[in-house]
Each structure stands twice: as C-alpha cells, then as structure tokens.
Amino acid sequence: MKEQYRETVEYLLYWYDYNQRILPWRQDPKPYHVWISEIMLQQTRVEAVRGYYDRFLSALPTVADLAAVEEERLLKLWEGLGYYSRAKNLKKAAQIMVEQYNGEVPGDYQALLALPGIGSYTAGAIASIAFGIPEPAVDGNVLRVMNRITGSFDDITKASVKKKMEEELRGIMPKDRPGDYNQSLMELGATVCIPNGRPLCAKCPVVHLCRAYREDTWQLIPVKANAKKESTSCERTRFVLKLGERYAVRKRSDKGLLAGLWELPGIERKLPISGAEEYLKACGYSVTAITDMGEAKHIFSHIEWHMQGYLAELAELPLEYLVRDTAAYGESGDPAAYAFSDLQFVDADTLAREYSLPSAFEAYKKQFLVS
Ligand code: SF4
C-alpha cells in the first residue's frame, strides 16, 4: 500500500503546480490564516467560505484579537457557516495560544492536536501547509481518493482505517513539500475525484495508477458501512412577533443544539394559522394581524426541523409580562427596548448588525432582515 501512495507524490505535485485554485489562504499561508480557513472549510464549500474568511480576518486579524473577542460578535462573524461550536472552540484555542504560545499558532503537531477543535486532519493541515512539517491531513476527500487509487474496500467510517492511512502517508510525505502534497490530495478530491457523481478520470493525473479506474469500481468506493444514521424529524411553529418596528428574538439555552444562539420564538409542534393566533392570544399577546410565512425545512447533522412560520403583528405587550430590563438594551437606556419574559424586541438594523440568528431561520428572517 505504502508504495502505491509513494508513487502518487511526483504526479500530484506536478499537477498541483498547474491546477491549484487561487485561494486567499493559499496566497498568504500564515499559520493563523491556514487555521481559520481549515475550520471554515469543514462542511462548507470553498466558494462560500471566501467571503466569510475575508470578513473574519478583517475583524479579527490576529490570534490575540480572536482570544479577546466578545462571544456575541464572534458568533455574528460566524453567522451562516453553521456549527457554532467551531467558532467557540476557535476562541478557546486562541486564548490558550495567548497564554502558552505568545499569541502564536504553535508550530508543533502534538501541540496543535491538544488544542480545542483541532483534530488530526486540521493539525496535519496547519503543520504541513504553514510550517512545512511532514504530517498527513486525512479527511473524507483524501480517504476517498486514496482508497480509489489503491482499490481499497476498507470502511472509511472506521477510525482505525483513517489511522492506518495517516500512518502510511506519514511514511511517504515529501519532506520538501508536505503542505503542497496534502493540498494536492484535497484539491484532487474536490475538483476531479469528486464525492458525488462520476469522477473526472480523463483529467486525473494518477489515472495510470488508479485501481478503481482500471477495475471500474469507483462507484463502490469509498465504502461507508454505517454512514447513514437515521435523522430525527421534528415539527416546529416559529413566530416573527412584530411590535412597531421591533422584532422578537430569544436566546437558546447554553446546552444542546444551537447552544447560546438567538432564535425566533416558537413551539414544538406545527399549528394551523387559526391555532397559531389562538395560541398567541392565550399567551397574552394582542395580535392585530397574522400572516402565513409558509413552511421551511432545516437539516442539522442528525435532526430535521420541519417548520411553519407566522408573522404576527402586536399592538402592545401584556403589562403583566412587561419587564424593563437594562441588560436588554445596555447603558443607552433606550426605553423602547424591552424584555418580554425571555424575549427581546430589537429593531431590524440592530438585529442584522449585532445578533446572530442561525441559518435554520433563514426562510423567515429574510422577510424582515436586510443582510
Ligand atoms: S482515476 Fe478516477 S477514480 Fe481514480 S483517482 Fe483519478 S479521478 Fe479518482
């Protein structure tokens, strides 16, 4: 197996020199840049990441800036990328870098691996691309490409299979260009030996080495024995509660799905429009108009939300629930900002600027937020 891996090095490096995409983190591969880009690229397409990456680095250009950022601002910068725990781990890791590594990303594979949110793939990517350390970076792309080249039917959902591939690749990493070799594998997986549909074997620099091509088994590889876990389907009603020019949001609990993020209020079942109006009135809201905002679906990794949304215009807040809350509007003392039980009513501009509403609410928030 190792020899088959070794044979790919020369061809992939040559191909990469002429075929790599020009990406901002490749043009300026400082350790901090590589780290941020690799975390953003997990589960998100390169094209989508570009804008987030530029915005993030303009706002937080150094490790120290990231370590010191307010969580609310960090989540706002991460809005749209999903998987918010990754952003929180970035900050935790940055704080460790400030305390233990003089505000720098450590240039050591084991030290990287010990940081929050950094697994073997990310540690290998940072070590090899930013520091030239010959460590492999094995993700789903690399597992697919390598198993096709070698014709392996190993189950890539097994940790032992990934570990074995890492060990074998570690033995053949080119000492002079480990970062380029890792990136050539990632690039081949993203643009030629693609995950969905027929790979572009006619354009592949290692077609002459590829067993899956020779044996026409590409559609059987990679093997993912336990890949499809059943996702749980949940029904929700979500409300856009409008009071004058303000809209209601509330903070989710610090634990579980979308922990600590803002959300549109709602309940855990779907209601028809008449039931929704009745429900709101029973809660004490003075609803003057209610509009159907339609159905929407959001798929998390293991849960699907099937939502029905309503825009409800309110005349006022019920007095028995109305609480002036300085924490809700800070030092400014804006008397129009209120906390209603656990809700905050916020104008659209402030919501767009300062509050991170996850993309699960995209279908409804776009009706009142200007992005
Ligand atoms: S020849 Fe085809 S299947 Fe083999 S690595 Fe290249 S693109 Fe993938």
Side-chain angles (χ1 to χ4, degrees), residues 144-146 148-150 188 192-194 198-214 217-219 221:
R144 178 178 64 259
V145 169
M146 278 311 197
R148 282 180 175 166
I149 292 172
T150 58
L188 192 76
V192 177
C193 196
I194 49 181
R198 178 179 282 273
L200 313 175
C201 301
K203 292 187 174 176
C204 181
V206 288
V207 63
H208 60 297
L209 303 173
C210 182
R211 197 161 161 191
Y213 174 77
R214 251 189 341 266
T217 51
W218 62 266
Q219 64 276 58
I221 300 174

Side-chain angles (χ1 to χ4, degrees), residues 85-368:
S85 59
R86 290 184 185 149
K88 293 178 188 174
N89 278 334
L90 278 177
K91 179 174 165 162
K92 281 187 209 154
Q95 287 171 328
I96 294 171
M97 290 176 197
V98 166
E99 284 160 18
Q100 298 182 16
Y101 301 104
N102 212 17
E104 303 285 346
V105 177
D108 177 272
Y109 180 75
Q110 292 301 333
L112 287 164
L113 209 48
L115 292 166
I118 297 188
S120 64
Y121 165 78
T122 309
I126 300 170
S128 64
I129 298 168
F131 295 103
I133 298 169
E135 287 289 342
V138 176
D139 67 352
N141 271 336
V142 176
L143 282 162
R144 178 178 64 259
V145 169
M146 278 311 197
N147 276 356
R148 282 180 175 166
I149 292 172
T150 58
S152 167
F153 287 90
D154 284 350
D155 172 6
I156 65 162
T157 62
K158 286 188 179 159
S160 58
V161 169
K162 181 177 172 188
K163 202 159 186 317
K164 188 168 136 226
M165 188 177 288
E166 285 171 343
E167 278 162 16
E168 300 226 16
L169 280 172
R170 190 168 284 122
I172 62 99
M173 293 298 291
K175 301 275 182 291
D176 54 339
R177 299 181 63 189
D180 284 349
Y181 180 62
N182 280 334
Q183 289 184 95
S184 72
L185 282 169
M186 298 172 197
E187 195 77 347
L188 192 76
T191 62
V192 177
C193 196
I194 49 181
N196 302 311
R198 178 179 282 273
L200 313 175
C201 301
K203 292 187 174 176
C204 181
V206 288
V207 63
H208 60 297
L209 303 173
C210 182
R211 197 161 161 191
Y213 174 77
R214 251 189 341 266
E215 298 174 357
D216 198 22
T217 51
W218 62 266
Q219 64 276 58
L220 303 176
I221 300 174
V223 173
K224 296 183 190 173
N226 303 316
K228 208 66 191 149
K229 285 202 189 105
E230 281 298 301
S231 65
T232 312
S233 177
C234 309
E235 299 208 325
R236 297 278 186 274
T237 299
R238 290 288 169 189
F239 297 110
V240 173
L241 300 178
K242 184 169 189 263
L243 179 71
E245 292 308 313
R246 290 171 185 271
Y247 299 88
V249 287
R250 70 179 171 195
K251 199 153 209 189
R252 290 178 66 83
S253 110
D254 282 343
K255 298 216 162 51
L257 192 65
L258 303 177
L261 300 175
W262 294 94
E263 69 170 356
L264 294 174
I267 58 166
E268 300 192 355
R269 62 181 191 277
K270 265 191 190 175
L271 294 172
I273 192 162
S274 55
E277 188 168 5
E278 258 171 49
Y279 173 82
L280 289 173
K281 286 182 173 166
C283 292
Y285 293 89
S286 52
V287 179
T288 56
I290 187 161
T291 313
D292 188 334
M293 295 195 301
E295 294 188 321
K297 179 164 90 168
H298 189 80
I299 303 174
F300 300 93
S301 53
H302 56 290
I303 293 179
E304 287 182 15
W305 278 359
H306 295 263
M307 296 173 282
Q308 168 64 51
Y310 296 105
L311 169 66
E313 299 192 38
L314 311 179
E316 58 188 3
L317 292 175
L319 277 177
E320 63 268 35
Y321 289 110
L322 186 63
V323 182
R324 284 283 306 273
D325 181 356
T326 46
Y329 52 90
E331 296 300 314
S332 70
D334 175 359
Y338 298 107
F340 171 53
S341 179
D342 58 348
L343 298 188
Q344 287 189 20
F345 283 80
V346 187
D347 67 82
D349 273 356
T350 310
L351 262 179
R353 243 190 359 259
E354 295 174 18
Y355 286 68
S356 174
L357 268 182
S359 52
F361 306 107
E362 197 65 41
Y364 303 131
K365 76 178 185 181
K366 70 184 179 200
Q367 303 212 16
F368 61 97

